[in-house]
Amino acid sequence: MESEWEETVLMLELPELDNKRTKDSYLQILGLATDNPIVKINNQLYSSKMANTLGSHLFLEVSDNTGGADAMVEKMHANSVMVTDKSLKLEPVYLEKKPNNEPTQSSQ
């Protein structure tokens, strides 16, 4: 029996206002198969919208080629790793506490 896995590469478009991400940030995506998945990075929630881009995003792996015959010359080498035309644009979600003076369903 063949597996029913499908691999998809996405470009995450993160908002500029969030500068709390670090190299070891925790990422969780809920509802990835939907048009509007929920994304959690560390303790911040984001709403998102899946979209096809007009062009393609090219993901590169960059490596240093230093320390050769001429150590003063620093060269970078880029390898193409993946290409995608899908992006996931993230917008932060802010939760507000509900005021206590509003009636609830059970108290009516």
Side-chain angles (χ1 to χ4, degrees):
M1 177 178 211
E2 285 188 39
S3 67
E4 295 182 18
W5 290 91
E6 180 181 338
E7 184 175 304
T8 301
V9 177
L10 295 172
M11 173 71 173
L12 289 179
E13 295 183 38
L14 302 168
E16 291 292 326
L17 58 101
D18 184 13
N19 58 2
K20 297 177 184 173
R21 291 183 302 272
T22 61
K23 195 175 195 177
D24 57 345
S25 291
Y26 176 77
L27 175 74
Q28 183 177 13
I29 302 175
L30 304 170
L32 188 57
T34 66
D35 288 335
N36 301 96
I38 300 293
V39 178
K40 182 178 179 184
I41 301 175
N42 295 333
N43 290 324
Q44 176 66 51
L45 286 175
Y46 297 90
S47 63
S48 64
K49 182 171 176 79
M50 191 80 67
N52 289 326
T53 60
L54 292 176
S56 295
H57 293 288
L58 178 63
F59 296 93
L60 301 173
E61 182 178 67
V62 179
S63 60
D64 291 336
N65 291 335
T66 58
D70 188 1
M72 297 300 288
V73 178
E74 193 172 310
K75 295 181 181 180
M76 304 294 272
H77 182 73
N79 294 323
S80 175
V81 177
M82 292 177 243
V83 178
T84 186
D85 63 348
K86 297 189 183 310
S87 71
L88 196 59
K89 184 174 173 80
L90 305 180
E91 294 293 329
V93 173
Y94 300 103
L95 302 177
E96 296 178 6
K97 191 172 184 177
K98 186 175 178 178
N100 289 336
N101 58 359
E102 291 184 18
T104 61
Q105 293 282 351
S106 61
S107 64
Q108 290 181 353

